[in-house]
Amino acid sequence: PAFDSSGNLYVSDSGEWDKDNGRMFKINSDGEARIWSEDIRSFPNGIALSASGDFLYAVVSLNAPRIERIPILKDGSAGSSELVVELPLAVPDGIAFDTEGNLYISCYRPDRIYRFSKNGDLEILVEDYEGTLMAAPTNIAFCGPRRDDLLSANLGRWHISRYELGAVGIPLNYPNIK
């Protein structure tokens, strides 16, 4: 899930595996839920808001794995999704932004985390071909008092890995928390 600065909660519904019936929901601060976008249908997964709050980024885990973004229009509705980066031969799962505008992408397969720079460069940041220290990393988040520790949940080994990258994650928007 991801909160915007107005307290709206965005949630991806991946749908059924290989059925192309995923969608995005938006739940307003009064608790009213509605389908916000059905542009991304091939197993939308992890999501993150851009630092400006103008875009909702989403992982597409199946059928041409990639990252897409959906513009959040001035009236709060969804614009048309746009391709950000393709990730062939991978099953991306989670995403997080740092304060420099870089996007971190964890992959359930292979056991890998990418950094996609604000300049459009995609690099393998960390990889574990043995799947021991990092094993099927799913969700990722910047944590700690300074938001400078990147954590990954590892579905394949039931632990959390910590990465010291020298990067700071953007603050998350949680309503009523300053």
Side-chain angles (χ1 to χ4, degrees), residues 2 14 51 58 83 88 90 102 111 119 125 134 139 156 159 175:
S14 299
L83 175 65
N102 300 305
D111 301 315
N119 299 324
L125 183 65
M134 171 201 295
N139 296 312
H159 68 276

Side-chain angles (χ1 to χ4, degrees), residues 40-80:
I40 302 172
R41 302 195 48 86
S42 290
F43 213 80
N45 207 336
I47 59 174
L49 281 169
S50 62
S52 64
D54 293 341
F55 292 94
L56 181 71
Y57 282 69
V59 171
V60 179
S61 294
L62 289 179
N63 304 326
R66 61 197 179 276
I67 306 300
E68 292 195 23
R69 68 182 190 176
I70 302 171
I72 300 173
L73 304 178
K74 295 210 183 289
D75 66 359
S77 64
S80 298

